[in-house]
Amino acid sequence: MADSARPNFENGNVFEDLSGVSSSSYENPYNAMIDTCGSALVCLNLGKPSKSAKIASKEIQARYARHRDARNAAQREKFFSKDFPGVSIDPILHKLVNPERYPDFADTRNCLVFWARPPRAVKTLIADLQQQLRSVAPNLWLMPIENLHMTALEITFSLTAPEIDDIVGRLSAKIPEISDYTYHHRARLIKPKLSYDTAAFALSFEPAAGESLPEGRSPEDDAYTYHHLRRDLYDLSRSTGVEVASRYVVPSAHLTIARFVNQADISVTEEVEQPDPTRVRKLLEQIENINLELYHAYWPKEGLRIKEGGQWVVGQERGLDCRKGVLWYGGGETVRLGKGFQDLGAENSI
């Protein structure tokens, strides 16, 4: 059964699967989506995917879209609620960005993860989106561009440094294989969209399902989705005897790009931290404008190539980054960086 000892919420926002899939009865929670969508045969060393597996990639994409759109809609309702109390402030980040008020404060939460690092084109897109958000919310904390990451697998979180080092030691035999895994298992992500809640903003993607294929890639290659990749990383990690104690497992492929660290951007005044409906509406309108721009400029179009930044084959430029330490906001220390590739074609060993 999936590890779920710790609650799946952060800064007042619950992370629940809104795709209509339940993983409660699965030892590997990623298998729930894969089984539901009928693509269980897309596995390591089991040969080329079947026709049904290719069809299933469309269903997996649809489930990711359902989750993403449902969550954005629910968050929009929160912002426009007459009882909206204000944005959710990350208390630790708030202290870190105000060292004059908290000079002795230090974040002591040590974690262990495998991160997917975005390629240059995605980083360029994110830098532009950050500035568009800053134009209506100038007090946002922005994730430094070189710290951007998507958590392919979180092994554990909020432990001490010695506890993390012990887990690294037990996982060490598999770390090279896991960090290099994306070199021969290339999952493609498309359809970028700004996702948000009352605490943060993220650029999210959906697994590809044969749309606007880059040169050297076939529809069959998209049958191995980002969700299959996460499933395999989970199994490889568990094969060492290490417990995978992720905060949450939801169908999402996202990179956090900005966080609220105070109420200033949606308040009536700096002195009165009461939400101003006009400022809240302006922020939400900017989000909608950004997503409309992303749809028209970066989503797949029949017969056309996807604009750079609008797709990402995980492992492009850099393999997975096995990272440990105080890394909640993109810091920490690399244990091993996997082998990357430049082309967007397929080299899937599935």
Side-chain angles (χ1 to χ4, degrees), residues 114-116 152 178-179 182 233 314 318-322 336-338:
F114 286 94
W115 280 347
I178 297 172
S179 55
T182 50
L233 301 181
V314 180
R318 290 186 283 181
L320 296 180
D321 188 350
C322 179
R336 187 181 188 275
L337 181 63

Side-chain angles (χ1 to χ4, degrees), residues 226-247:
Y226 179 64
H227 210 77
H228 292 89
L229 172 63
R230 300 188 78 189
R231 175 204 59 189
D232 290 350
L233 301 181
Y234 188 100
D235 280 342
L236 287 167
S237 299
R238 284 293 297 268
S239 71
T240 66
V242 166
E243 176 189 3
V244 178
S246 306
R247 282 171 293 157

Side-chain angles (χ1 to χ4, degrees), residues 292-305:
L292 193 61
E293 174 191 335
L294 288 171
Y295 173 77
H296 286 296
Y298 292 92
W299 281 40
K301 302 292 186 297
E302 186 71 32
L304 299 176
R305 288 188 174 184

Side-chain angles (χ1 to χ4, degrees), residues 131-245:
Q131 294 312 309
Q132 290 190 56
L133 286 171
R134 268 275 180 91
S135 70
V136 294
N139 294 285
L140 285 175
W141 174 84
L142 302 182
M143 178 72 75
I145 294 300
E146 291 309 310
N147 289 7
L148 287 166
H149 60 274
M150 180 169 66
T151 303
L153 184 69
E154 180 180 56
I155 301 295
T156 193
F157 66 100
S158 296
L159 299 180
T160 65
E163 287 172 327
I164 293 294
D165 286 338
D166 175 68
I167 297 172
V168 170
R170 290 188 283 133
L171 191 64
S172 60
K174 282 289 183 180
I175 288 175
E177 180 180 356
I178 297 172
S179 55
D180 285 341
Y181 200 73
T182 50
Y183 191 84
H184 293 295
H185 300 79
R186 301 185 181 182
R188 189 167 67 110
L189 296 169
I190 58 173
K191 298 185 178 180
K193 189 173 190 176
L194 197 63
S195 296
Y196 64 97
D197 58 27
T198 59
F201 300 85
L203 183 65
S204 60
F205 292 83
E206 296 174 8
E211 305 92 337
S212 301
L213 291 158
E215 186 176 351
R217 193 174 180 94
S218 70
E220 289 80 7
D221 296 314
D222 277 350
Y224 186 82
T225 70
Y226 179 64
H227 210 77
H228 292 89
L229 172 63
R230 300 188 78 189
R231 175 204 59 189
D232 290 350
L233 301 181
Y234 188 100
D235 280 342
L236 287 167
S237 299
R238 284 293 297 268
S239 71
T240 66
V242 166
E243 176 189 3
V244 178

Side-chain angles (χ1 to χ4, degrees), residues 60-61 63-68 118-119 121-123 125-126 129 149-150 187-195 202-208 226 251-257 294 298-300 306-314 316:
I60 289 174
Q61 182 188 95
R63 297 276 182 167
Y64 269 67
R66 181 187 302 178
H67 171 83
R68 179 168 71 172
V122 173
K123 291 193 289 187
L125 172 60
I126 288 173
L129 298 181
H149 60 274
M150 180 169 66
R188 189 167 67 110
L189 296 169
I190 58 173
K191 298 185 178 180
K193 189 173 190 176
L194 197 63
S195 296
L203 183 65
S204 60
F205 292 83
E206 296 174 8
Y226 179 64
S252 180
H254 68 273
L255 310 92
T256 299
I257 68 171
L294 288 171
Y298 292 92
W299 281 40
I306 295 176
K307 184 176 180 179
E308 283 199 2
Q311 68 179 333
W312 172 13
V313 179
V314 180
Q316 184 182 349

Side-chain angles (χ1 to χ4, degrees), residues 11 79 84-102 134 136-142 197-201 258-276 279-280 283:
N11 301 324
F79 274 99
F84 178 52
V87 294
S88 303
I89 305 303
D90 180 333
I92 293 178
L93 182 58
H94 174 75
K95 292 176 180 178
L96 291 174
V97 299
N98 290 287
E100 70 286 352
R101 294 169 59 187
Y102 307 97
R134 268 275 180 91
V136 294
N139 294 285
L140 285 175
W141 174 84
L142 302 182
D197 58 27
T198 59
F201 300 85
R259 293 180 183 272
F260 291 106
V261 288
N262 56 47
Q263 302 288 342
D265 292 324
I266 55 97
S267 294
V268 175
T269 66
E270 288 188 11
E271 292 75 23
V272 181
E273 290 191 345
Q274 177 182 340
D276 180 345
R279 299 186 77 182
V280 171
L283 174 61

